[in-house]
Amino acid sequence: MAQEIRIPADVLHHVCQKLLEKVGVPADQADLIARVIVRADLRGIGSHGVLRLPAYIHKVQQGLMSAHTQVALVREKGATALLDGGGGFGQVAGVRGMEEAIRRAEEYGVGSVGVRNANHFGIAAYYAMMALEKGMIGIVVSNAAPSMAPWGGIEPLLGSNPLCVAIPTGEEVNLVLDMASTVVARGKIRLAARQAQKIPFGWALDAQGRPTDDPQAALKGTLLPIGGPKGYGLALVNDALAGVLTGSPFGPAIPSLHDLSRRSAVGFFFQALDVTAFAEKDEFESRMQQMLSTIRNSARAEGVERIYIPGEIEWEKERERATHGIPVSEAVLDQLRTLATELDVSIEL
């Protein structure tokens, strides 16, 4: 296991913001992007945290991603809108997209917003959970560069295309389902490769369609979908919503974030549902708590001490790491130090 060092969240945030500003990202946007990045690491999703920062910055340096993200309204109709992310940071476009969905949900009971011409936005949960602050349900879908073959194939044509649904419960812990349509996100394969670790069999196939525990072979092959053909179907539907519907690239037309030869572009689909358009707030929360209590107190299999609801483990990690610091591998820290040296920025890690 690669050595890990605990870094306070505010230190990681400061480092990210400093490096982003150095390549021309406006201070307010750098602060927002850093907040999204660090939130991923706080919640234990290291594949979408500071690990991604060098790729973002290298895209900006190569002129393949705009340092200053300017989001524009393309079209609107009642409870719906389409935004253009301006080829900038997905985090900025993502926050704007969910804000727009929430605003329309306040007026119509539901808000649906598509975003095109954007880039990788980190964890989908960040945006879905924005709706929780308004007592709303948040739904987020994104597409991604191809990493999964259609069921029965070996050629990667679909991304890990994530789905996140955040539902308020009236408790400290809300229900937050944040999942890729592959068994794991491709970022976890990259993280394993950089830490020189094996991956479990069942995560990926190599380029010849054979099961592999080698992350380098997996990156040249294809990730496996969750639930076999069901995960493939979910990825395809998510690509239709985030890619086809928004006018974004889809399927094999999406370049990788790590491809420094051309611009990347992905699409997002956001939805906010005002709970009070369907039920009284207290009644809804009471029924949610009743449902979750039934789940938590149900009979457990041998050796299982506790049944969690989606998002509960991440919530616990976030609380613990906010107090004791975020564990970051030496490999990732070395990447940040190298990036700082390249940019002639002084950082303390």
Side-chain angles (χ1 to χ4, degrees), residues 250-280:
F250 54 87
I254 305 175
S256 167
L257 173 67
H258 302 273
D259 183 348
L260 296 181
S261 67
R262 52 184 176 151
R263 282 185 170 269
S264 299
V266 294
F268 313 138
F269 179 79
F270 301 100
Q271 192 164 67
L273 300 173
D274 185 353
V275 167
T276 64
F278 299 85
E280 294 301 319

Side-chain angles (χ1 to χ4, degrees), residues 146-181:
S147 59
M148 179 209 303
W151 188 247
I154 62 171
E155 181 183 359
L157 296 177
L158 294 166
S160 54
N161 304 347
L163 164 71
C164 183
V165 181
I167 303 176
T169 64
E171 300 179 352
E172 275 193 291
V173 183
N174 293 297
L175 196 164
V176 182
L177 173 69
D178 187 7
M179 54 177 276
S181 47

Side-chain angles (χ1 to χ4, degrees), residues 89-325:
F89 281 82
Q91 290 85 352
V92 178
V95 166
R96 172 70 187 282
M98 183 49 87
E99 286 176 342
E100 189 67 29
I102 291 170
R103 185 182 71 79
R104 290 172 189 268
E106 288 174 333
E107 181 175 357
Y108 297 101
V110 60
S112 297
V113 175
V115 178
R116 70 185 190 193
N117 194 21
N119 281 284
H120 188 272
F121 67 2
I123 54 170
Y126 187 93
Y127 313 98
M129 291 170 67
M130 288 172 59
L132 297 176
E133 299 169 12
K134 298 289 187 177
M136 296 183 182
I137 296 171
I139 302 172
V140 176
V141 170
S142 175
N143 64 3
S147 59
M148 179 209 303
W151 188 247
I154 62 171
E155 181 183 359
L157 296 177
L158 294 166
S160 54
N161 304 347
L163 164 71
C164 183
V165 181
I167 303 176
T169 64
E171 300 179 352
E172 275 193 291
V173 183
N174 293 297
L175 196 164
V176 182
L177 173 69
D178 187 7
M179 54 177 276
S181 47
T182 47
V183 175
V184 295
R186 192 175 179 85
K188 288 189 177 181
I189 307 286
R190 292 188 186 279
L191 186 59
R194 287 174 183 171
Q195 294 178 348
Q197 296 176 348
K198 295 289 187 180
I199 60 173
F201 282 103
W203 279 17
L205 305 176
D206 66 16
Q208 284 71 48
R210 300 170 301 200
T212 183
D213 63 352
D214 180 352
Q216 297 291 354
L219 289 172
K220 296 174 183 176
T222 178
L223 301 185
L224 287 167
I226 56 169
K230 295 181 181 180
Y232 152 60
L234 178 62
L236 187 58
V237 168
N238 289 353
D239 208 358
L241 289 172
V244 178
L245 183 64
T246 65
S248 300
F250 54 87
I254 305 175
S256 167
L257 173 67
H258 302 273
D259 183 348
L260 296 181
S261 67
R262 52 184 176 151
R263 282 185 170 269
S264 299
V266 294
F268 313 138
F269 179 79
F270 301 100
Q271 192 164 67
L273 300 173
D274 185 353
V275 167
T276 64
F278 299 85
E280 294 301 319
K281 179 176 180 291
D282 291 344
E283 177 192 2
F284 174 80
E285 290 179 350
S286 175
R287 286 167 58 80
M288 282 297 302
Q289 290 164 18
Q290 179 184 355
M291 181 178 73
L292 298 183
S293 177
T294 300
I295 297 293
R296 289 188 174 115
N297 296 319
S298 62
R300 297 186 295 275
E302 183 178 352
V304 175
E305 295 183 0
R306 178 178 172 188
I307 294 176
Y308 292 87
I309 67 167
E312 192 168 10
I313 292 174
E314 292 84 354
W315 177 80
E316 289 188 347
K317 283 184 178 180
E318 186 165 2
R319 294 184 74 194
E320 187 273 333
R321 292 178 175 194
T323 300
H324 301 291

